[in-house]
Amino acid sequence: MSNYFFDMIPAEELKKLNFVPTTVQLLEKMKNDYGTKVAIVHKNQPITYNELYERIGRRRTFIKSLNLQSGSKIAIFDRNSLDAIELFFAITTLGYVSIFLPAQLAGPALNGSVMKFNVSAMFVRPEFESVCKQAGVTISQYSTDCTSEQYTPAANVMDDMLCSIFFTGGTTGVPKGVMLTHHNIMRGSHNGIFMPGSVLSDHRYITFLPFSHVFGVIRGLLSCFYCGATIYTCEDMRAGVSMIPVVKPTCLVVVPGLAEILVNLVKMQGKGFLGGCLQHIICGASNCPPRLIEEFEKLGLSLLQGYGLTESANLVSGNAQTITNPTSVGKFYPCQEYKIVDGELWLKGENIFKGYYGDPKQTAQAFSDGWFRTGDLVRIDNDGYIYITGRIKNLIILKNGENVSPESIEEHFYAHAEIRDCLIKEVDKDGDKVIGIEILPNMELLQGQTPEQMQNTFRNIVDQVNDILPSYMQVLTFSIRTEDFKRTGSMKVMRNQ
């Protein structure tokens, strides 16, 4: 087994960070190892690990009074609040299954999700109650602040029991419900503890990423609790940026879109905006342009990236050497097997999901002889670094039979700082299907340019990229966007637009 990850952490700390296979055992570890430390700061209210443990026990009392059947699905319709964190632990440590509903769900989508996943009860943030009424949701609903004065201990939860269902974060198609067991989630969370330097010092995080996304729960929450960090709740990703100079975080977990915002704010307000204590930025959920890595390097900060899927409990690989390998998603985390079949990455391991809820057909298609077919095209270099070259379902099939990965073309455009984001797609030109690109400009670098000058800037970039591409992959048309792309909840560019 490679020591790539184990060598990042001081040996004396690694001994204290043993793997635990259920949320019940994680909660016990949090209390026993970090009891008097501050676990959460919510709206300036500090909650210690001891206090959090007790509060979760009182939440369990209320949930148990609902007399739901074992394994029932309980939805949390909230933002990234203290209530949401306590409810997640209370639900899963009683042996029920948690489902975080995205805050943006409304109308038929909300009601459809409740019915699709057989939700038995739902905890609803007061501001979302009207949305539930409009959607016609008929299951029992309770306020997210529901609790009790009495303490109820955790249930006897096994590691192979279903813990949570997460929506896939895909950029095409209809989201599916990914079933993750306790062991899946805890393996993913343990993978997330690895980063260079001390992880048991007094780290401070801000919960930017929504809990409805697996990245937000696994790396943005549970991995932090594993190490006794302090979490500052953030109920709105963009508005929460203003918390940074006050909280002075030591580590941030973000998506590339948010990393871009941070870079621009530092340019406007100076490095002091980041609080002066920031050591690492963990960036994931979508492609991270190498120029962002370079921008943070100039600030003396390491932007670390990785790769994962909802189906793999988020974390498959991580890259702590992004400066020397900026286009790689790193090396495989422990406790996984992999193989590459016709360019596609197949996985086995303790982090791989149980299946898609209520969808045996899609589940069967996702596996082959026990291997999970990721759908991602990869290559691995001689040093074990992984490179994502595309996604099978995004391939463009040209009339000459060539398969073109849009991601492999986009990678070249991201090397140009003038491009904030882009989307390669098949478009019509003079009655033929050709490869085109939509470009979202980095307006900060293009200030003062006329529309004609901007056209010339991007025409030159397209020509430069085409010079290094084989003829069948060349981009034959481009357009410049004046507004942002449609994005998923994790800020990925949606491909079906």
Side-chain angles (χ1 to χ4, degrees):
M1 184 187 300
S2 170
N3 291 325
Y4 180 78
F5 294 101
F6 298 116
D7 289 346
M8 292 181 190
I9 300 176
E12 64 274 14
E13 292 191 6
L14 193 59
K15 292 177 183 177
K16 300 176 182 178
L17 293 168
N18 56 299
F19 171 72
V20 295
T22 69
T23 57
V24 174
Q25 288 161 291
L26 175 61
L27 202 55
E28 292 297 324
K29 176 179 177 60
M30 290 158 55
K31 179 180 185 296
N32 294 335
D33 293 358
Y34 316 121
T36 58
K37 292 183 67 175
V38 174
I40 299 172
V41 178
H42 180 65
K43 297 182 178 178
N44 297 320
Q45 177 190 6
I47 307 290
T48 68
Y49 278 92
N50 282 336
E51 290 169 336
L52 180 62
Y53 185 89
E54 294 296 320
R55 291 170 67 98
I56 291 168
R58 294 197 295 272
R59 294 276 194 175
R60 282 195 291 255
T61 303
F62 179 84
I63 294 172
K64 196 170 183 180
S65 72
L66 304 180
N67 295 317
L68 301 175
Q69 291 184 350
S70 176
S72 291
K73 286 79 179 174
I74 302 178
I76 304 169
F77 194 22
D78 195 3
R79 300 190 188 277
N80 285 10
S81 69
L82 173 63
D83 289 333
I85 296 170
E86 292 178 356
L87 285 167
F88 168 79
F89 274 106
I91 291 166
T92 60
T93 58
L94 276 174
Y96 297 125
V97 181
S98 72
I99 303 175
F100 280 109
L101 297 176
Q104 67 269 26
L105 272 186
L110 174 60
N111 200 24
S113 297
V114 168
M115 291 189 293
K116 178 177 180 178
F117 300 118
N118 293 319
V119 172
S120 297
M122 181 162 64
F123 287 92
V124 181
R125 185 183 180 92
E127 70 176 275
F128 295 160
E129 289 176 357
S130 60
V131 177
C132 294
K133 291 178 182 177
Q134 293 168 8
V137 178
T138 57
I139 62 164
S140 299
Q141 298 172 35
Y142 306 93
S143 174
T144 50
D145 62 4
C146 286
T147 186
S148 170
E149 294 299 317
Q150 302 298 315
Y151 177 90
T152 294
N156 183 25
V157 174
M158 300 290 102
D159 65 344
D160 61 350
M161 290 173 61
L162 187 57
C163 179
S164 297
I165 296 175
F166 284 94
F167 293 88
T168 53
T171 56
T172 60
V174 179
K176 299 181 286 290
V178 173
M179 297 188 290
L180 295 174
T181 66
H182 280 261
H183 200 111
N184 296 154
I185 282 180
M186 296 317 302
R187 176 52 67 189
S189 301
H190 192 262
N191 287 344
I193 70 174
F194 295 104
M195 63 182 183
S198 171
V199 297
L200 289 179
S201 53
D202 293 327
H203 280 293
R204 295 180 298 280
Y205 289 79
I206 301 172
T207 59
F208 280 123
L209 304 185
F211 294 154
S212 56
H213 192 282
V214 72
F215 191 25
V217 170
I218 298 281
R219 185 57 186 89
L221 188 69
L222 299 183
S223 295
C224 305
F225 283 154
Y226 238 115
C227 301
T230 298
I231 297 290
Y232 286 75
T233 58
C234 168
E235 298 184 359
D236 181 273
M237 185 189 295
R238 292 179 182 272
V241 169
S242 62
M243 297 171 60
I244 293 176
V246 179
V247 171
K248 303 183 188 301
T250 60
C251 186
L252 290 176
V253 180
V254 301
V255 292
L258 183 53
E260 183 91 50
I261 291 171
L262 295 181
V263 164
N264 291 333
L265 285 170
V266 169
K267 288 178 180 178
M268 290 187 292
Q269 302 186 34
K271 187 179 175 182
F273 174 81
L274 297 176
C277 298
L278 193 59
Q279 300 169 21
H280 303 296
I281 297 175
I282 311 295
C283 192
S286 62
N287 174 68
C288 183
R291 62 177 175 77
L292 276 180
I293 295 170
E294 295 174 8
E295 292 276 11
F296 281 106
E297 172 68 9
K298 293 175 186 175
L299 298 172
L301 298 171
S302 59
L303 189 152
L304 311 179
Q305 65 173 325
Y307 160 72
L309 309 97
T310 309
E311 293 90 340
S312 66
N314 185 220
L315 298 171
V316 170
S317 68
N319 186 359
Q321 275 78 42
T322 49
I323 294 301
T324 55
N325 299 277
T327 59
S328 171
V329 293
K331 297 188 178 186
F332 289 105
Y333 283 108
C335 301
Q336 294 179 100
E337 298 177 68
Y338 77 91
K339 63 179 179 179
I340 299 174
V341 180
D342 295 329
E344 181 187 12
L345 177 63
W346 290 18
L347 295 171
K348 277 185 181 180
E350 297 179 10
N351 55 332
I352 301 301
F353 76 130
K354 196 173 183 177
Y356 298 115
Y357 184 80
D359 201 335
K361 182 178 179 181
Q362 289 278 4
T363 299
Q365 291 175 352
F367 287 89
S368 180
D369 194 27
W371 291 87
F372 168 54
R373 305 179 58 170
T374 66
D376 289 311
L377 301 169
V378 305
R379 66 178 178 86
I380 301 176
D381 69 18
N382 293 333
D383 295 319
Y385 281 93
I386 310 159
Y387 299 82
I388 307 296
T389 61
R391 186 145 179 82
I392 289 176
K393 66 181 180 181
N394 296 338
L395 288 176
I396 298 172
I397 313 299
L398 301 176
K399 62 181 180 181
N400 63 0
E402 293 282 3
N403 292 347
V404 175
S405 164
E407 294 90 346
S408 64
I409 302 176
E410 289 162 0
E411 179 181 332
H412 297 292
F413 283 95
Y414 280 123
H416 294 266
E418 296 87 350
I419 294 177
R420 179 185 161 198
D421 235 325
C422 63
L423 179 65
I424 288 287
K425 59 199 304 185
E426 193 174 34
V427 298
D428 289 313
K429 183 182 182 184
D430 301 328
D432 284 332
K433 294 285 188 180
V434 300
I435 296 173
I437 186 170
E438 290 186 36
I439 295 171
L440 183 65
N442 185 346
M443 293 305 299
E444 182 183 343
L445 296 181
L446 300 170
Q447 286 182 359
Q449 285 198 9
T450 65
E452 291 77 16
Q453 290 172 324
M454 199 176 297
Q455 283 281 337
N456 289 334
T457 294
F458 290 117
R459 185 175 293 108
N460 288 335
I461 290 176
V462 169
D463 289 343
Q464 290 175 45
V465 172
N466 280 341
D467 283 343
I468 60 176
L469 292 175
S471 59
Y472 71 89
M473 292 179 66
Q474 291 182 358
V475 176
L476 299 187
T477 182
F478 73 93
S479 61
I480 301 171
R481 293 184 69 96
T482 56
E483 59 183 37
D484 198 3
F485 289 102
K486 295 178 183 176
R487 297 179 183 269
T488 67
S490 59
M491 295 182 73
K492 292 180 185 177
V493 173
M494 297 183 70
R495 291 202 170 268
N496 52 350
Q497 60 181 301

